[in-house]
Amino acid sequence: MAATENAAEQVATIAEKIRAGKTSLGIEFGSTRIKAVLIDDTYATIASGDFGWASHLEDGLWSYSIDEIWTGLQTAYSAMANDVERAYGEKLTHVGHIGFSAMMHGYLAFDEAGELLVPFRTWQNTNTHEAHEKLSELFQYNIPERWSIAHLYQAVLNNEEHVGKVAFFTTLAGYVHWKLTGKKVLGVGDASGMFPIDPATRTWETEFVKQFNALPEVAAQPWSLEDLLPEPLVAGTPAGELTAEGAALLDPTGTLQPGVVFAPPEGDAGTGMVATNSVRVRTGNVSAGTSIFAMVVLERKLERLHPEVDLVTTPAGDLAGMSHANNFTSDLNAWVGLFGQFAEALGTPVDVGTLYGTLFRAAIADDVDRNAGGLINYPFRAGEFLAGLPEGRLVFARGPEANMNLGNFMRAQLFSAFSPVKIGMDVMTKDEHVQVDSLVGHGGIFATPKVAQKILAAAFNTPIKVMATAAEGGAWGMAVLADYLWHADTALDAYLDERVFADAASITEAPDTQDVVGFEDFFDRFTKGLPIEHAAIAAIPLEER
């Protein structure tokens, strides 16, 4: 009876918080899922909803349609609002604050009338290599292929018909925020994936803007770059309010009322840093999903230009080095799905959690070979700059004497997933001697205890911490940034330390010496075998079915 009464009291307490607006909503557009998370003032998730989606090729470029963006957003929001009503008996007429985040980079370009000029070009596209090389050389600052400015400049170089009509371009998070609030702004972390940010001013590098505008092919355009970019905002800055039109877009039922204050829209790198309490100098995180990136907040600028390292910022505007790989879980998920189909064919289907847990644990079993037994896997669904691949092909390979068993197979899958991001991380730690006090793993792959954490510790040869919030994801991190609007008089790193993570539980996995040696052996074979990928690109059509 006491337990029942206590549960009822908890429900009543949360219902009162919902009515009082002591809530924050974070919605993140990931590569495979749009997720909405509502938190209360203790940072606990009180409701959530999601929508699964996938990119598709359109004219040879990876994209999501505008209809998919809004259908997915409305579905995820509706599921979250229904969760609120079902659990607490409250219709969600208002929330305290809202924030949107999304996969970074890419290219959404609009004309003066606000019409999309070309289909959304996502971060997965690697057709911008010429722009990457020319701009990196011009600025002496790495401009990755997936950055928004690389997409714009490549379109200029290609003499694309739409270029002269561009009046505004932004990221996915910036686009959704604009349509819901009318404000053309962007969180500084997401902005740093569009164009370089000056960490002293927390806005665009003005000298680089001048250099870009002075390029002859750019000077010939009817616009200047500064007129096309959104305004960067640091975390804690009010970024507009939900308009009546925006409320109807987000919640077509008309239940949600306009007027909610928005946080600056951020990128998934920034929300990953927040969700892992990694915004302080010399802290870092590894955020793993469809893509993967390892980030370290820097004490200083890097001494040299390194194409393998992106320079972005935290949501507070501090400089961070990022090693970003386009590919991570797509291939792994496909193989796990195949094992699930086999179980169903045997008449013994298993739930997804059991399936992943069983297969993952096989990768660290006592009888597994530390180097994955000579098996090699290439998880490249899309092109991979770090590996020098313009396109992706998915290849599993082994020599005739390789030790093919389940444990080694799954170990090769996990080793290969972490291999591309290791390339850029090695540049930071080994070439630039970047110091890392803590590195936190973040993302659904860490939901199975120990396994991915142990593999990552071997890959980076450093202790890996996983926090109790590891599976919460970027939507939760964005909700925390929305809550930060109430506490912006405190520095973001102190706010996270003192309020959000003060009592957070965590587990740290130190690298095992034999695992480190095994991973290095695998990584050596992985890199030496990359010509296999180039042959596969030449032999296997991109859109073959």
Side-chain angles (χ1 to χ4, degrees):
M1 178 67 75
T4 302
E5 290 176 352
N6 187 50
E9 288 176 2
Q10 289 179 337
V11 168
T13 297
I14 293 173
E16 175 54 34
K17 290 181 179 182
I18 293 169
R19 289 192 294 271
K22 294 180 179 180
T23 56
S24 295
L25 174 62
I27 301 180
E28 181 157 284
F29 289 77
S31 302
T32 60
R33 185 172 62 156
I34 302 170
K35 187 170 184 180
V37 168
L38 188 69
I39 64 172
D40 65 9
D41 54 358
T42 69
Y43 311 103
T45 297
I46 58 176
S48 64
D50 62 14
F51 175 82
W53 68 344
S55 58
H56 60 270
L57 283 169
E58 190 161 337
D59 297 327
L61 296 175
W62 294 105
S63 184
Y64 301 85
S65 73
I66 294 297
D67 287 344
E68 288 176 301
I69 292 170
W70 294 111
T71 298
L73 172 60
Q74 291 166 0
T75 302
Y77 177 85
S78 175
M80 181 277 302
N82 289 338
D83 196 11
V84 168
E85 187 169 7
R86 184 168 51 249
Y88 310 108
E90 296 289 328
K91 287 189 177 295
L92 200 59
T93 59
H94 66 288
V95 297
H97 294 138
I98 297 179
F100 281 86
S101 55
M103 49 188 138
M104 291 176 67
H105 323 299
Y107 182 67
L108 280 154
F110 303 88
D111 63 16
E112 285 285 357
E115 295 298 320
L116 186 68
L117 290 167
V118 291
F120 172 32
R121 298 174 181 179
T122 78
W123 56 270
Q124 293 170 294
N125 294 297
T126 55
N127 63 309
T128 55
H129 189 71
E130 182 184 5
H132 146 73
E133 287 191 325
K134 289 185 174 182
L135 292 179
S136 297
E137 176 64 25
L138 176 68
F139 301 146
Q140 283 300 293
Y141 188 104
N142 185 32
I143 303 297
E145 293 175 335
R146 64 188 179 281
W147 277 25
S148 305
I149 192 62
H151 283 278
L152 174 64
Y153 187 48
Q154 192 65 53
V156 171
L157 293 173
N158 293 345
N159 293 311
E160 294 189 33
E161 186 272 336
H162 80 276
V163 169
K165 303 175 185 176
V166 178
F168 174 58
F169 75 122
T170 189
T171 65
L172 178 55
Y175 164 66
V176 174
H177 183 98
W178 170 41
K179 289 300 182 182
L180 297 183
T181 67
K183 300 294 185 181
K184 294 179 178 179
V185 300
L186 205 58
V188 67
D190 201 10
S192 68
M194 287 194 73
F195 191 84
I197 291 289
D198 180 347
T201 64
R202 268 63 170 174
T203 190
W204 310 115
E205 282 273 11
T206 54
E207 286 304 310
F208 292 173
V209 171
K210 292 176 184 177
Q211 288 176 283
F212 183 81
N213 284 334
L215 290 166
E217 56 273 30
V218 174
Q221 302 301 324
W223 43 256
S224 295
L225 179 61
E226 61 269 26
D227 298 327
L228 307 187
L229 288 162
E231 178 189 0
L233 300 175
V234 296
T237 305
E241 295 183 1
L242 183 65
T243 63
E245 296 81 5
L249 264 177
L250 181 57
D251 179 17
T253 69
T255 305
L256 182 66
Q257 299 302 298
V260 183
V261 176
F262 275 59
E266 262 300 345
D268 50 2
T271 58
M273 284 188 271
V274 169
T276 55
N277 193 19
S278 302
V279 302
R280 191 179 293 277
V281 168
R282 292 176 59 140
T283 65
N285 75 95
V286 179
S287 188
T290 304
S291 65
I292 178 172
F293 46 81
M295 300 190 65
V296 180
V297 184
L298 303 175
E299 296 178 276
R300 56 173 175 80
K301 289 186 176 181
L302 300 183
E303 293 180 4
R304 299 186 308 281
L305 168 65
H306 297 280
E308 304 89 350
V309 180
D310 304 354
L311 293 174
V312 294
T313 78
T314 71
D318 296 315
L319 198 64
M322 174 198 287
S323 172
H324 180 284
N326 286 347
N327 301 271
F328 189 63
T329 58
S330 293
D331 192 34
L332 182 63
N333 290 340
W335 282 109
V336 172
L338 187 67
F339 283 111
Q341 293 172 29
F342 177 67
E344 289 185 10
L346 288 177
T348 55
V350 294
D351 66 86
V352 172
T354 301
L355 183 64
Y356 272 90
T358 301
L359 291 171
F360 275 29
R361 285 187 290 272
I364 61 169
D366 292 339
D367 61 347
V368 74
D369 292 313
R370 297 301 180 102
N371 67 352
L375 310 183
I376 307 176
N377 188 68
Y378 293 104
F380 302 115
R381 181 173 183 260
E384 189 62 77
F385 175 82
L386 287 170
L389 301 174
E391 296 177 3
R393 299 295 187 273
L394 302 149
V395 177
F396 173 72
R398 60 190 172 107
E401 295 301 315
N403 187 13
M404 178 69 170
N405 59 41
L406 180 63
N408 283 340
F409 178 81
M410 289 307 302
R411 194 172 183 85
Q413 292 294 323
L414 289 165
F415 272 11
S416 71
F418 284 117
S419 285
V421 76
K422 176 178 168 63
I423 297 170
M425 193 65 176
D426 280 356
V427 168
M428 284 192 278
T429 58
K430 296 179 180 179
D431 296 350
E432 287 280 350
H433 307 292
V434 169
Q435 299 298 307
V436 185
D437 291 338
S438 67
L439 201 59
V440 181
H442 170 63
I445 196 168
F446 296 104
T448 300
K450 191 174 185 176
V451 180
Q453 191 177 0
K454 185 176 178 69
I455 298 294
L456 183 57
F460 288 173
N461 193 19
T462 193
I464 302 296
K465 179 192 294 185
V466 171
M467 307 176 78
T469 56
E472 290 284 4
W476 181 83
M478 190 63 239
V480 171
L481 283 173
D483 174 89
Y484 181 56
L485 289 171
W486 280 304
H487 307 283
D489 56 338
T490 302
L492 181 61
D493 53 6
Y495 159 80
L496 294 176
D497 283 343
E498 297 164 8
R499 294 187 62 90
V500 182
F501 294 101
D503 301 312
S506 65
I507 297 174
T508 299
E509 185 75 29
D512 178 282
T513 302
Q514 293 183 21
D515 283 342
V516 172
V517 172
F519 193 99
E520 289 295 339
D521 181 69
F522 175 91
F523 187 67
D524 182 61
R525 287 184 285 110
F526 180 92
T527 53
K528 287 179 178 176
L530 282 171
I532 297 170
E533 273 292 297
H534 291 281
I537 290 170
I540 302 173
L542 181 63
E543 299 187 62
E544 182 180 78
R545 289 188 179 276

